[in-house]
Amino acid sequence: ELYHTMEANPHALDSAQDPNEVFEIMEPPPANFDPHADFPTSTASFITREVCHKQGLWHCSVHIWIVDTTSSSILLQKRSMKKDTFPGRWDISSAGHVEKGKSILETAECELAEELGIRVDAGELQFAFTIPAEQAPLGGCNAYEHVYFLHGNTDTKMSLGTEEVSGVSWVPASKLLSALSNGDDNYAPRTEQYCEAMGSFLQKMLKGSD
């Protein structure tokens, strides 16, 4: 079911993205990067989003998957057609780039508020893994994706930031994992390593709710 609330979101941004926002540039990932133990290394340089994406430079993003363990379903957002990467595709519940001056957790809190109108405390977010994802060749960007999970339920009230998000839908976790693993074009792509780590984490999260 696709729906979005009509209530105004006071935290919403007035544009789908800002080409002048500034990112901290990271070193490319080593071949043996461990998603559960390693962290990206900064180059100590900062570049605008527009230049960073054009040059395929490595930077950081944060992903938050909202999971209803009772129904084994996950909240997806449908990306606005105004987005400069993967417009119109189903994607992570909430996500965004880590800007200069913000921590990963601060970014997560901001993205949830801006995109979904949801306010949470950082302590509610469960860190799962960090995946270096080379998505620039696919129309995305090259980012270290810091992935978190958040307990939610299908009754969660939301007010969307419509410049960025055109709608949301709860889908079975198994359906989502299958779509991502099979490269379904209706969804923003995730790497094989990402899909494997996500499947493993979700299995433990859903089993823990039994």
Side-chain angles (χ1 to χ4, degrees):
E1 179 187 359
L2 172 64
Y3 68 94
H4 67 261
T5 62
M6 298 303 291
E7 297 177 16
N9 179 348
H11 311 288
L13 301 182
D14 58 9
S15 63
Q17 57 268 316
D18 177 5
N20 296 314
E21 61 185 345
V22 177
F23 302 154
E24 183 176 9
I25 304 306
M26 302 294 166
E27 297 284 357
N32 61 348
F33 187 92
D34 185 339
H36 299 98
D38 291 340
F39 199 79
T41 300
S42 175
T43 65
S45 62
F46 299 86
I47 295 178
T48 64
R49 174 197 180 101
E50 185 174 31
V51 174
C52 179
H53 282 191
K54 282 184 178 179
Q55 296 184 5
L57 301 175
W58 286 86
H59 51 293
C60 289
S61 64
V62 61
H63 295 181
I64 310 101
W65 295 97
I66 302 177
V67 182
D68 183 339
T69 55
T70 302
S71 63
S72 297
S73 57
I74 298 178
L75 182 74
L76 298 184
Q77 66 160 265
K78 194 173 184 68
R79 295 172 68 80
S80 160
M81 292 303 295
K82 298 178 182 179
K83 296 297 289 184
D84 61 1
T85 58
F86 308 119
R89 296 201 196 187
W90 290 106
D91 203 1
I92 307 143
S93 311
S94 183
H97 292 92
V98 180
E99 297 179 43
K100 180 182 180 181
K102 281 187 181 179
S103 70
I104 293 169
L105 286 174
E106 286 172 339
T107 300
E109 291 179 278
C110 287
E111 294 298 334
L112 285 164
E114 293 166 1
E115 296 181 351
L116 304 177
I118 296 174
R119 302 305 302 268
V120 300
D121 182 270
E124 299 176 61
L125 300 170
Q126 300 179 56
F127 174 72
F129 49 85
T130 298
I131 297 290
E134 191 171 5
Q135 302 274 50
L138 302 178
C141 59
N142 297 334
Y144 289 90
E145 299 168 339
H146 301 277
V147 182
Y148 291 80
F149 286 78
L150 175 67
H151 283 280
N153 61 70
T154 54
D155 295 324
T156 299
K157 295 185 182 300
M158 289 170 274
S159 53
L160 306 188
T162 53
E163 287 293 312
E164 299 185 271
V165 182
S166 63
V168 291
S169 180
W170 289 94
V171 302
S174 57
K175 177 181 177 181
L176 172 63
L177 288 170
S178 176
L180 293 178
S181 297
N182 292 325
D184 189 325
D185 285 343
N186 291 305
Y187 298 78
R190 299 292 150 218
T191 67
E192 181 180 354
Q193 186 182 38
Y194 190 116
C195 293
E196 290 176 356
M198 182 177 177
S200 177
F201 190 90
L202 272 173
Q203 185 176 36
K204 294 175 184 176
M205 188 177 184
L206 296 175
K207 186 176 181 180
S209 67
D210 292 343

